[in-house]
Amino acid sequence: MTEEDLREHEVRTALLGLLAEVGTVTATEAAGRLGYSSGLCSFHLRQLARHGYVEEAPHHGGRARPWRLKQRSTEAEASMEDGFGDWARGLEDESWRQWLDRRDQEPDEWRRDEAFSAIAYLTPEEMSRVAETIRRTLAPYQDREQRPLARPEGARPVALIARLFPLLPDTKSSEDED
């Protein structure tokens, strides 16, 4: 299965996103959260397992069959995991491009977006606190995905993307100073 195959397949993409968010799910739980049938989710979870993206999670008997993202143990598998992160960021970027291309077709109240970026000088601990503050700020809205009745009238899914990472030193400019 190529990244393109995954990108083109809505159900598999949704399942991978759900597993990344919640850790483990059964086909029935996935169906309830994503709005597909449990049979369809079960089929695609098995296909994702066949291609090395997911695996059965440990469970305590019963018929329930929980799944999780595959645990990576070797360097090659870790590289594959990095590829998944790249793939997910690519989907985010593609969604952003689609928004830019079509936002003039949206109702006036939705045409504005809230994109911003900033550079702040932080310690690793401060960077972690900023990330946790963002998570806490978003927490009151997270259950709306699973509970459609909790959504206010007019609510739509909105991509919330934050990437906190240290910038690498500019080695060229420091060499110029010497």
Side-chain angles (χ1 to χ4, degrees), residues 36 63 74 85 112 148 177:
Y36 300 115
R63 293 185 59 206
T74 66
R112 202 176 101 234
E177 293 173 5

Side-chain angles (χ1 to χ4, degrees), residues 121-136:
Y121 287 79
L122 305 172
T123 66
E125 295 79 18
E126 290 170 327
M127 188 169 77
S128 293
R129 282 198 305 268
V130 169
E132 184 55 34
T133 300
I134 293 168
R135 286 186 196 94
R136 277 195 317 272

Side-chain angles (χ1 to χ4, degrees), residues 110-173:
W110 283 104
R111 286 188 186 172
R112 202 176 101 234
D113 55 58
E114 297 291 341
F116 66 90
S117 66
I119 294 176
Y121 287 79
L122 305 172
T123 66
E125 295 79 18
E126 290 170 327
M127 188 169 77
S128 293
R129 282 198 305 268
V130 169
E132 184 55 34
T133 300
I134 293 168
R135 286 186 196 94
R136 277 195 317 272
T137 300
L138 298 176
Y141 310 102
Q142 296 298 306
D143 72 329
R144 292 179 180 180
E145 183 179 352
Q146 298 85 18
R147 297 182 43 234
L149 296 177
R151 299 174 193 162
E153 187 172 329
R156 291 175 54 180
V158 173
L160 305 164
I161 301 164
R163 297 176 184 161
L164 284 70
F165 56 94
L167 297 175
L168 299 174
D170 183 3
T171 56
K172 185 176 181 179
S173 66

